[in-house]
């Protein structure tokens, strides 16, 4: 019997004891999980915006202006150290909500968010968001759940980062990026990520990343064309990670 890609991937997860949800969390649609009256209240205060590739939605250390719900495109969340070294923390895709944590905590943004592609998004201004939050118990519960799950994913990833070799981290990153870049209509993912962002995500030098990706390519685990990467053998990546 021939299994579809998604069922085969699930089969491999079960076979090898790998739980992707521990290391990658896809946020919930805030509109689809709220009662109609509360969802309508949010929609009254939403602005539709767009941003070009390479531009910032918000900057590390800045005062939060509002909340962002990504409609199309991808955004990287990153932090810069005092010596300007960049560490990529997370990737957001369509449906994900960003920027609400510093508003709730009354803090500045601890990270920057940059568009990896041309993006469209919904924007809820800060004061409107706070008013909606006070009037919507469902939204409060949803954001609390979102926050808890994202925190668990970040902790799990940090634990792996501390214990894995560079090769294992790259394999893990490819598994997650394969999911992040999965087309909505199905089919094979095409990972379009600069080598600089990739190396900042796995915490290694560009030269080391390129060498190990080349090794994966020779073993037919991935295919590389320019800056694009296709995962050909998920099972091999899972074996490296495990």
């Amino acid at each position: 019997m021939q299994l579809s890609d998604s069922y085969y991937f699930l089969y491999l997860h079960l076979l090898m004891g790998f739980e992707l949800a521990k290391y990658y969390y896809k946020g919930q649609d805030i509109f689809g999980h709220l009662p109609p009256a509360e969802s309508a209240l949010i929609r009254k205060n939403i602005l539709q915006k767009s941003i070009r590739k390479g531009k910032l939605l918000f900057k590390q250390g800045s005062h939060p202006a509002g909340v962002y719900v990504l409609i199309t495109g991808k955004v990287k969340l990153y932090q810069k150290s005092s010596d300007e070294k960049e560490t990529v923390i997370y990737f957001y895709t369509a449906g994900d909500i960003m920027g609400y944590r510093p508003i709730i905590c009354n803090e500045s943004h601890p990270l920057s968010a940059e568009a990896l592609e041309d993006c469209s998004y919904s924007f809820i201004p800060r004061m409107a968001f706070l008013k909606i939050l006070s009037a919507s118990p469902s939204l409060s519960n949803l954001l609390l759940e979102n926050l808890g799950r994202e925190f668990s994913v970040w902790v799990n990833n940090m634990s792996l980062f501390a214990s894995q070799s560079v090769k294992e981290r790259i394999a893990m990153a490819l598994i997650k990026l394969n999911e992040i870049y999965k087309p909505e209509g199905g089919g094979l993912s095409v990972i379009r990520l600069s080598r600089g962002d990739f190396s900042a995500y796995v915490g290694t030098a560009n030269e080391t990343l390129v060498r190990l990706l080349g090794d994966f390519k020779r073993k037919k685990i991935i295919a590389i064309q320019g800056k694009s990467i296709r995962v050909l053998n998920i099972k091999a990546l899972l074996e490296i990670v495990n």
Side-chain angles (χ1 to χ4, degrees):
M1 180 176 68
Q2 185 175 3
L3 299 174
S4 68
D5 289 345
S6 59
Y7 280 110
Y8 182 61
F9 197 19
L10 176 61
Y11 168 73
L12 288 175
H13 286 181
L14 296 173
L15 179 66
M16 306 186 72
F18 182 82
E19 297 178 60
L20 182 61
K22 290 176 62 177
Y23 308 103
Y24 169 67
Y25 171 59
K26 175 62 184 169
Q28 302 182 61
D29 173 18
I30 64 169
F31 304 129
H33 290 77
L34 292 178
E38 295 179 21
S39 180
L41 180 62
I42 292 178
R43 292 181 189 279
K44 284 181 182 179
N45 292 276
I46 272 185
L47 304 172
Q48 302 301 322
K49 295 191 174 187
S50 61
I51 188 170
R52 299 299 298 271
K53 177 181 177 180
K55 298 296 183 180
L56 295 179
L57 279 86
F58 49 84
K59 187 176 181 179
Q60 180 179 336
S62 65
H63 186 70
V67 174
Y68 309 77
V69 182
L70 202 55
I71 299 173
T72 61
K74 294 175 183 62
V75 169
K76 71 171 180 177
L77 203 60
Y78 70 94
Q79 188 174 58
K80 279 191 175 180
S81 61
S82 57
D83 61 355
E84 291 298 298
K85 182 180 179 181
E86 186 176 304
T87 301
V88 176
I89 307 296
Y90 206 70
F91 295 100
Y92 285 114
T93 59
D96 286 333
I97 180 169
M98 302 170 283
Y100 64 93
R101 284 178 294 274
I103 294 178
I104 293 172
C105 299
N106 195 28
E107 297 176 347
S108 59
H109 284 293
L111 306 165
S112 297
E114 179 184 318
L116 289 173
E117 309 166 355
D118 290 349
C119 298
S120 61
Y121 62 95
S122 299
F123 178 74
I124 309 171
R126 175 192 176 94
M127 293 310 299
F129 172 73
L130 289 172
K131 288 180 181 178
I132 294 166
L133 192 62
S134 65
S136 174
S138 300
L139 179 61
S140 299
N141 292 335
L142 179 62
L143 292 180
L144 185 61
E145 181 182 347
N146 230 44
L147 185 60
R149 290 188 177 180
E150 282 192 354
F151 180 74
S152 294
V153 165
W154 290 5
V155 168
N156 289 336
N157 279 314
M158 284 190 293
S159 297
L160 276 183
F161 190 90
S163 62
Q164 287 183 321
S165 66
V166 175
K167 181 178 180 180
E168 289 167 334
R169 295 203 300 269
I170 292 173
M172 172 62 86
L174 286 167
I175 292 170
K176 290 188 289 184
L177 289 168
N178 189 63
E179 189 71 16
I180 290 167
Y181 280 84
K182 184 180 291 182
E184 288 188 12
L188 289 174
S189 301
V190 179
I191 301 168
R192 297 184 177 92
L193 190 67
S194 73
R195 297 299 181 262
D197 284 339
F198 202 138
S199 59
Y201 186 43
V202 297
T204 192
N206 276 0
E207 295 79 6
T208 304
L209 173 72
V210 170
R211 176 174 57 80
L212 287 170
L213 287 178
D215 184 49
F216 287 175
K217 179 182 178 182
R218 284 189 294 276
K219 294 176 180 177
K220 302 190 184 303
I221 297 173
I222 61 173
I224 300 176
Q225 185 172 9
K227 293 183 179 180
S228 299
I229 299 173
R230 286 183 184 269
V231 174
L232 304 177
N233 192 340
I234 283 284
K235 182 178 179 181
L237 293 175
L238 289 168
E239 287 173 345
I240 292 169
V241 169
N242 284 336

